[in-house]
Amino acid sequence: MYLSKLSLKKFRNYSQLDIQLNPGLTILTGENAQGKTNLLEAIFLLSLAKSHRTNHDMDMIQWGSDYAIIQGKVKKNSYEIPLEIQLSKKGKIAKFNYQDQAKLSQFIGKLNVVLFAPEDMQLIKGSPSLRRQFIDAELGQAQPLYLQSLLQYHRLLKQRNTYLKQLREKQAKDLIYLDIISDQLIEHAEIIINYRLDFIEHIGKIANKIHHNLSLNRDELTLFYRASSSKLDYQSKETIKKQFSDLFFENRQRDIDFGITHYGPHRDDLLFFINDTVAQNFASQGQQRTIILSLKLAELEWMYRLNQDYPVLLLDDVLSELDDQRQLVLMQTIENKVQTILTTASIDQIHLENLSNSQLLKIADGQIINEGD
């Protein structure tokens, strides 16, 4: 799978842009704030139907315009499929093969991507919500059933929290209705947790092998999915539903008093261990970079094993975060098998000696001003 064409209209600082992309490496170079990251954002949008930089679609529409159009063509095997996202004040329209998709969930995952950006360096020591977003983004585009359950879970979670507040304010009093919502929430929680456990088990094994090599056989990397309560034992998968039912019942009054649901996958976390030590607490900057690089390369392999096809790799100005050894491992891993679109202010820091099938696009003020091969 690779993105063969990208067209933008009224998107960010691009009034109009049409570019052809090859299946190998594309380097986007130019000064800061010229539009390099905007191109990656557009590709990310074609995959997950949302931005990785903003929660407000209107932010992506060019100033002075009331709409934006992002189009791409995905080449897979011998056929090419058009994708399109339209943004406007009326909302978002997603098209697959020129057909409007009734739900965005039907569109997500037609193009698979893995994004590696500077903010990913916060994944280790940042908030648990960042790590949940990481899991949801990867599973959501690769596993449609996970995405469906995740959407249903958050809809029910909002509904439950609203009703908890009504109970707290004495605007409602039917506890049976609360139990009904809770049971429905638990059904989807169980599905989400099982998908996440499977994902973390598989990606953890792959990431550890990569990390072991990057650390010159010194360090072992382990991923652990931590439940929102010490009373939950996710290793006992067959009892997850009952565990949640008991926990919700025990904490019913507490949930009502606070007007929120205290336990569930929306409060779980992902922990990283280096040689049995929690990386969130003790990892150095170098160790954090090694963990993130191992994780991103593991994502590529996990998606390949799942779909027998590599996703598109988006690298947003991250080479400056990696030393020569890590850069070399990254480039050797992606060469000739992963379409990679990379942004950088300067190509001087990139080791291109052994890379073939690459193109260079120089960007200035939302325009491609020259191309090189």
Side-chain angles (χ1 to χ4, degrees):
M1 172 189 295
Y2 73 95
L3 188 67
S4 60
K5 183 178 181 181
L6 179 67
S7 299
L8 306 178
K9 189 171 184 179
K10 308 295 184 183
F11 180 82
R12 293 286 191 181
N13 67 328
Y14 291 95
S15 296
Q16 180 73 48
L17 182 75
D18 295 282
I19 56 174
Q20 301 286 337
L21 299 167
N22 69 21
L25 172 67
T26 296
I27 302 169
L28 307 175
T29 186
E31 300 296 328
N32 292 332
Q34 299 303 301
K36 302 187 302 294
T37 297
N38 294 344
L39 278 180
L40 298 193
E41 181 183 31
I43 297 170
F44 190 89
L45 187 66
L46 286 175
S47 176
L48 284 100
K50 66 177 182 179
S51 168
H52 66 288
R53 303 162 72 194
T54 178
N55 292 321
H56 304 288
D57 290 345
M58 295 301 293
D59 292 346
M60 294 180 280
I61 298 176
Q62 191 174 66
W63 181 258
S65 181
D66 56 4
Y67 74 95
I69 299 176
I70 304 93
Q71 297 173 318
K73 288 190 176 179
V74 178
K75 193 74 176 290
K76 188 171 183 179
N77 299 325
S78 60
Y79 55 90
E80 202 170 47
I81 304 171
L83 302 175
E84 181 176 324
I85 293 279
Q86 298 178 7
L87 305 175
S88 72
K89 295 177 181 178
K90 296 180 180 179
K92 185 185 301 175
I93 297 174
K95 295 184 178 183
F96 171 67
N97 203 18
Y98 304 112
Q99 300 296 313
D100 287 7
Q101 302 298 290
K103 298 179 180 179
L104 289 177
S105 59
Q106 296 173 336
F107 178 86
I108 294 171
K110 303 299 185 185
L111 168 67
N112 291 329
V113 303
V114 168
L115 171 68
F116 188 5
E119 55 264 31
D120 286 322
M121 295 302 170
Q122 295 299 315
L123 195 60
I124 307 298
K125 294 194 174 183
S127 67
S129 64
L130 292 176
R131 292 182 284 277
R132 290 193 297 269
Q133 289 170 18
F134 155 71
I135 297 171
D136 291 342
E138 304 318 313
L139 274 172
Q141 63 175 310
Q143 300 278 21
L145 291 178
Y146 176 83
L147 181 60
Q148 292 174 22
S149 278
L150 185 68
L151 293 172
Q152 286 295 325
Y153 179 85
H154 283 290
R155 181 184 66 81
L156 289 163
L157 179 64
K158 183 178 180 180
Q159 187 178 345
R160 187 177 193 269
N161 287 344
T162 298
Y163 195 68
L164 287 169
K165 291 180 177 69
Q166 291 173 355
L167 290 168
R168 182 184 63 189
E169 302 302 325
K170 310 300 182 183
Q171 297 172 359
K173 58 181 180 180
D174 188 354
L175 294 179
I176 294 177
Y177 180 64
L178 177 63
D179 290 340
I180 292 172
I181 300 174
S182 300
D183 288 344
Q184 293 175 346
L185 189 70
I186 291 169
E187 290 282 348
H188 291 287
E190 182 184 31
I191 294 171
I192 290 167
I193 290 164
N194 280 320
Y195 267 108
R196 286 182 178 179
L197 289 171
D198 185 69
F199 169 71
I200 290 167
E201 178 185 356
H202 284 88
I203 203 171
K205 290 177 181 178
I206 302 170
N208 182 46
K209 290 181 181 179
I210 297 169
H211 189 275
H212 197 61
N213 291 333
L214 281 172
S215 64
L216 302 178
N217 303 324
R218 289 192 300 267
D219 297 333
E220 297 290 333
L221 171 65
T222 306
L223 275 57
F224 177 75
Y225 185 56
R226 184 170 68 182
S228 53
S229 169
S230 59
K231 294 183 179 180
L232 293 168
D233 178 15
Y234 287 167
Q235 300 308 310
S236 180
K237 292 184 178 182
E238 67 279 357
T239 66
I240 287 177
K241 191 179 295 185
K242 185 180 185 305
Q243 291 179 56
F244 269 110
S245 294
D246 293 344
L247 196 62
F248 275 23
F249 181 78
E250 292 170 8
N251 290 273
R252 176 193 280 169
Q253 191 57 50
R254 180 173 181 240
D255 282 358
I256 292 173
D257 291 343
F258 284 87
I260 58 172
T261 303
H262 283 89
Y263 305 110
H266 65 289
R267 290 203 160 190
D268 290 347
D269 199 0
L270 173 62
L271 300 182
F272 302 91
F273 288 83
I274 299 295
N275 299 330
D276 299 323
T277 301
V278 181
Q280 272 92 335
N281 298 332
F282 301 105
S284 66
Q285 287 285 355
Q287 287 176 319
Q288 291 178 59
R289 291 187 177 96
T290 304
I291 293 171
I292 297 301
L293 178 56
S294 301
L295 201 61
K296 292 298 175 179
L297 295 180
E299 287 179 61
L300 296 176
E301 292 302 323
W302 176 76
M303 284 196 181
Y304 178 79
R305 294 180 186 185
L306 194 66
N307 303 319
Q308 296 304 300
D309 206 353
Y310 281 104
V312 177
L313 177 61
L314 307 177
L315 301 175
D316 189 11
D317 197 26
V318 294
L319 292 187
S320 59
E321 301 282 350
L322 306 176
D323 59 21
D324 287 351
Q325 180 200 359
R326 294 181 180 92
Q327 273 197 42
L328 182 61
V329 170
L330 172 60
M331 292 304 185
Q332 287 176 339
T333 301
I334 65 178
E335 186 179 13
N336 295 325
K337 63 179 181 181
V338 181
Q339 183 187 31
T340 303
I341 302 170
L342 177 155
T343 71
T344 181
S346 170
I347 63 171
D348 294 340
Q349 61 183 322
I350 304 176
H351 298 284
L352 298 172
E353 298 86 358
N354 299 316
L355 291 178
S356 57
N357 196 19
S358 63
Q359 66 179 149
L360 175 67
L361 305 179
K362 189 171 183 181
I363 296 174
D365 196 23
Q367 297 287 331
I368 295 176
I369 59 175
N370 73 323
E371 299 187 28
D373 294 306

